[in-house]
Amino acid sequence: MTATRAGAGIEAALDEALGMHDETARRSVELDDNEQFPADFCSRLDGFGVPAYYVPTEWGGALFDHEEMIRLWRTAARRDISAVTAHAKTYLGVAPVWIAGSPEQARATADAVMSGSPVAWALSEPEHGADLLSGSVTAAAEPDGYRIDGVKWPINNATRSGRVTLLARTGRDGSGRGQSLFLVDKSALQPGTWRTLPKVRTHGIRGIDISGIEFDGALLPADALIGAEGSGLETVLLALQFTRTMCTALSLGAGEHALRLAARFTAARVIQKRPLAERPFPVSVLARSAALLTAAEATSLVAGRSLHSLTAEMSVTSVVAKALAPTLVDDTLGELAELLGARSFLSDVYEYGAFQKVWRDHQIVAVFDGSTPVNRAALVQQFPKLVRGFAGGTVDAGGLAEAVSVGSPVRPVDRGALTMVSRQGCSVVQALPALVESIGGRPAPTGLAEQSVALLAMAEYLHGRMAEVAPAARPAMVAYELAAAYELCYAGAACLHLWAAGESEHAPEPLWQDGLWVRAALRALLARLAAVLRVPVPVAAPGDDRLDGALTRLIVDAATTGAPVTPFGAPAPRSLQQGKDSRER
């Protein structure tokens, strides 16, 4: 394994290590067609040292800055989201160990991960899915440990993994204290007490190891227990605050990949002597897609940095980010598919069929680590504290300033500060009134002040509606809709915070000039907010009518030159030899 890299060049270094883009694209589609595991891609990630970024620095790894992790996964996912899904599962599998594991468990796990051994996270069961309270895999106490019985399925890397982090019932069925976590070393289990279940055929991510594992009297030593008996569900929910946040990087990579594919096509496709990129409908779709991808990027980066500086708020931030990013990117992929027409479905006509693959692959991201409805249900339970925090203007100013200072050093993560419920709400959204006031009192790009005021008005209306939601174990559908609106408010606030923090540093960059990216993102978010809340779309801000053309020209140029397509994105160097299909007319 090579030494790890850090700093601004980490994305470029990984891009170089992953090889020629065309070669990767062609090979990933071939493997997908044949449902073969992306072993070479994963080997290159290993060779670069990515497994070290799954291990915190205190255990000898390279994981310190979660913004770096987001950038690594995004860089790899914009080539092949399927391969990253397979490789990154190890990070998800070991997250509970860093939170509740003993020093001995952490050291052994760190050694295994950094040697390249995959780790699976066995939560789902055939009869219970994401209902973790009802899990039926049992861990019965024995004189020297625990006896494990039952089936976990479907599980990513269930067969390929060397270790499994297992959630099993040790107490009363349906009790919040009835589940415990165990670290299972498959090589130490007695033969005949466990077996893996066959790989499941899937619509997307076809080649990766989605299989299962069945235990029949498997004996674990007492020191396999992670944390205290009965604390498994709590540890899982705390670990999910990390893993849900990091999963947004998969959406960023998929969205960027698809946007570049579609933009290159519109630039090359000429109908009646005029490129598609100059026609009103494609221009509108590309601009909106770029704007929504930017909003997802803002949300992901602020959430990732919040793990360090707003740790106690992550029960809100993580579910917001995990629900929002896949939703925005899924919708964007659908619109871009319309733009590509038949080429969005065909597997060997345009750029090796890369679009149809990324479109299929990304659909699973919304399901990972709690589906979108599961995340929104978790957010609804925190409405009362969010309403009070917004009304009182409760803000951790120092933590928020660090969270929005993209690229700057972060403080170490205090895992002990994680909470099941955020006591002070969400600083990113609750700082919105003061932020909008400050934007109104300073020179700002054309129309931005008006957009900011419109966002604040939406946020105030939303919190009024949230206050009317009565606490319930099974929230009404309207509560889920309000949760979706809160996600959009968070994204809008994140965009404004990032613009305010980075305006002077990034002013010369094309996407930043005259606030182009933040204005386009806010316009798109305000339109979606109005639709979700069923209220009129805010009046167009000055200059809104010029955003589409300016943004699309930059995106098309970036797609062909490799320049960034988002304000905090990295260049995407492409091979000199492009396939003939990418130049078709």
Side-chain angles (χ1 to χ4, degrees):
M1 182 182 296
T2 63
T4 58
R5 288 96 168 154
I10 194 167
E11 291 163 288
L14 179 58
D15 233 337
E16 181 178 355
L18 292 177
M20 301 290 276
H21 278 242
D22 275 10
E23 174 191 344
T24 303
R26 185 187 302 108
R27 181 61 177 154
S28 67
V29 172
E30 289 175 354
L31 292 174
D32 186 71
D33 286 343
N34 294 314
E35 301 186 18
Q36 292 182 343
F37 189 82
D40 181 64
F41 197 114
C42 289
S43 177
R44 294 187 187 193
L45 293 174
D46 286 345
F48 182 82
V50 172
Y53 289 89
Y54 302 159
V55 178
T57 51
E58 58 261 46
W59 302 112
L63 176 57
F64 182 84
D65 183 345
H66 286 80
E67 180 186 334
E68 280 191 346
M69 272 279 291
I70 288 172
R71 293 184 178 279
L72 283 172
W73 281 8
R74 174 186 185 155
T75 298
R78 69 186 183 182
R79 288 169 175 257
D80 186 4
I81 190 173
S82 179
V84 184
T85 298
H87 197 276
K89 187 62 181 183
T90 291
Y91 170 82
L92 278 58
V94 298
V97 178
W98 315 138
I99 292 173
S102 67
E104 293 76 18
Q105 288 173 328
R107 279 193 292 271
T109 301
D111 290 344
V113 171
M114 294 181 66
S115 72
S117 177
V119 178
W121 198 2
L123 300 180
S124 300
E125 296 183 9
E127 302 302 322
H128 307 292
D131 183 5
L132 301 183
L133 280 176
S134 300
S136 56
V137 171
T138 58
E142 296 279 329
D144 297 319
Y146 295 87
R147 172 190 168 118
I148 309 297
D149 292 280
V151 175
K152 289 291 183 177
W153 175 97
I155 304 299
N156 186 359
N157 280 342
T159 299
R160 298 179 67 90
S161 62
R163 296 181 179 223
V164 177
T165 302
L166 173 74
L167 184 68
R169 180 155 55 85
T170 52
R172 183 168 55 86
D173 184 18
S175 167
R177 306 296 294 180
Q179 301 279 336
S180 300
L181 273 174
F182 298 88
L183 189 59
V184 180
D185 182 349
K186 288 158 66 175
S187 68
L189 298 177
Q190 287 295 316
T193 65
W194 68 284
R195 68 185 182 98
T196 55
L197 305 179
K199 178 184 179 311
V200 180
R201 299 192 67 185
T202 52
H203 176 63
I205 56 169
R206 290 176 175 169
I208 74 172
D209 173 22
I210 302 295
S211 54
I213 184 166
E214 179 178 7
F215 300 97
D216 183 8
L219 297 179
L220 299 181
D223 61 6
L225 178 67
I226 300 174
E229 189 172 298
S231 67
L233 185 60
E234 180 178 351
T235 300
V236 166
L237 292 176
L238 294 178
L240 286 171
Q241 294 178 22
F242 287 89
T243 63
R244 285 169 171 165
T245 302
M246 293 299 104
C247 281
T248 61
L250 303 179
S251 292
L252 299 187
E256 178 180 342
H257 189 185
L259 181 59
R260 289 183 183 277
L261 288 170
R264 286 199 295 271
F265 174 73
T266 62
R269 183 64 169 168
V270 176
I271 298 177
Q272 296 179 349
K273 300 181 180 180
R274 189 181 179 191
L276 286 180
E278 296 177 6
R279 296 177 178 272
F281 177 71
V283 166
S284 174
V285 171
L286 288 174
R288 184 164 51 253
S289 298
L292 292 177
L293 180 59
T294 290
E297 176 185 58
T299 299
S300 175
L301 291 176
V302 172
R305 294 181 61 84
S306 293
L307 283 165
H308 299 266
S309 63
L310 295 171
T311 314
E313 299 181 11
M314 289 307 299
S315 63
V316 171
T317 306
S318 61
V319 296
V320 165
K322 177 55 174 63
L324 178 88
T327 297
L328 293 187
V329 172
D330 272 338
D331 289 353
T332 293
L333 292 174
E335 283 209 78
L336 293 174
E338 265 190 43
L339 197 58
L340 284 168
R343 289 165 183 78
S344 67
F345 293 93
L346 303 177
S347 60
D348 58 356
V349 171
Y350 176 64
E351 300 236 8
Y352 320 111
F355 189 92
Q356 56 87 26
K357 182 180 185 302
V358 71
W359 193 10
R360 286 185 290 103
D361 286 349
H362 182 261
Q363 292 177 44
I364 193 60
V365 179
V367 179
F368 284 152
D369 290 33
S371 64
T372 300
V374 168
N375 282 289
R376 287 178 177 163
L379 182 62
V380 170
Q381 301 305 321
Q382 303 191 66
F383 275 6
K385 290 188 179 295
L386 295 174
V387 169
R388 288 195 294 271
F390 188 80
T394 305
V395 175
D396 179 345
L400 177 59
E402 291 181 37
V404 301
S405 298
V406 172
S408 66
V410 295
R411 68 178 82 168
V413 172
D414 178 6
R415 297 181 189 87
L418 293 169
T419 59
M420 299 291 284
V421 176
S422 174
R423 296 183 180 90
Q424 65 181 24
C426 176
S427 293
V428 171
V429 175
Q430 289 158 200
L432 191 55
L435 177 60
V436 171
E437 182 179 359
S438 72
I439 290 173
R442 62 188 279 188
T446 303
L448 184 59
E450 290 84 350
Q451 290 179 322
S452 303
V453 169
L455 178 64
L456 178 57
M458 289 277 202
E460 291 171 340
Y461 173 73
L462 169 62
H463 282 80
R465 295 278 306 279
M466 289 163 57
E468 299 170 356
V469 176
R474 295 179 174 82
M477 186 61 208
V478 66
Y480 288 87
E481 294 174 347
L482 296 177
Y486 191 90
E487 296 157 17
L488 296 167
C489 279
Y490 182 99
C495 288
L496 281 175
H497 284 300
L498 291 179
W499 173 80
E503 177 193 17
S504 58
E505 177 186 354
H506 296 281
E509 299 171 19
L511 285 169
W512 286 76
Q513 291 176 12
D514 199 26
L516 178 59
W517 75 263
V518 68
R519 291 163 58 206
L522 285 176
R523 184 187 62 171
L525 291 170
L526 286 168
R528 291 180 72 97
L529 257 172
V532 173
L533 293 174
R534 298 180 177 87
V535 298
V537 178
V539 175
D544 273 8
D545 58 327
R546 297 190 294 274
L547 293 177
D548 283 357
L551 185 56
T552 296
R553 284 191 292 273
L554 286 176
I555 296 305
V556 170
D557 179 69
T560 53
T561 63
V565 294
T566 55
F568 296 100
R574 305 185 69 231
S575 61
L576 296 177
Q577 178 61 42
Q578 295 297 324
K580 65 178 182 179
D581 298 322
S582 66
R583 297 192 299 268
E584 65 173 298
R585 294 294 190 267

